[in-house]
Amino acid sequence: MHILGFKELLLVQGSREKVTPLLGKLVQPFKNALIHSDDAVFDAALNALVQLSQCVGPALNPHLKQFLMPLSKRMMTKVFREKVGTALQSIEMAGGKECLPTIKAKVPTYSSVL
């Protein structure tokens, strides 16, 4: 239920303007969820991060470094390799060319889609 609610909140008209000022406060909870040992928590956080990036676009770029280390670690696991790769591609598409150097610095094996 909460996952659907988060998605719907980000789809509301004007959500970008409302969410962008809150990005600094969202970083730590997202980071905590991404380093969580429970795969379901990580998976939900990864999906929410992709949705957030699609909502705020390049505004997420300054905060991207915070998320890349946990994503890089999970990308090393067979279970999440493809899903994290797809998520990074979505984040790159939303963040534009400016986020590619940041992603490549933390995840050297990442292949750009742009």
Side-chain angles (χ1 to χ4, degrees), residues 2-111:
H2 60 281
I3 296 170
L4 182 59
F6 183 78
K7 182 177 182 177
E8 288 180 5
L9 282 173
L10 295 179
L11 293 175
V12 172
Q13 186 176 8
S15 62
R16 176 183 296 229
E17 294 79 20
K18 294 176 183 174
V19 173
T20 301
L22 300 173
L23 285 176
K25 293 181 179 182
L26 294 173
V27 169
Q28 195 58 47
F30 265 97
K31 188 175 177 182
N32 289 344
L34 291 171
I35 63 173
H36 202 281
S37 60
D38 185 340
D39 287 348
V41 172
F42 171 80
D43 192 42
L46 183 62
N47 290 330
L49 182 60
V50 169
Q51 293 164 8
L52 181 65
S53 73
Q54 291 169 347
C55 176
V56 299
L60 188 63
N61 290 353
H63 307 284
L64 204 51
K65 287 181 183 178
Q66 303 290 328
F67 309 121
L68 291 175
M69 188 57 67
L71 293 179
S72 176
K73 288 181 180 180
R74 288 290 181 129
M75 198 166 187
M76 300 298 176
T77 67
K78 193 175 186 179
V79 175
F80 285 107
R81 182 176 297 128
E82 187 174 333
K83 188 159 185 135
V84 170
T86 302
L88 287 173
Q89 289 174 343
S90 295
I91 292 168
E92 179 191 5
M93 288 173 31
K97 292 180 182 178
E98 300 81 30
C99 69
L100 180 60
T102 306
I103 294 173
K104 288 292 277 181
K106 297 287 184 182
V107 188
T109 58
Y110 174 72
S111 297

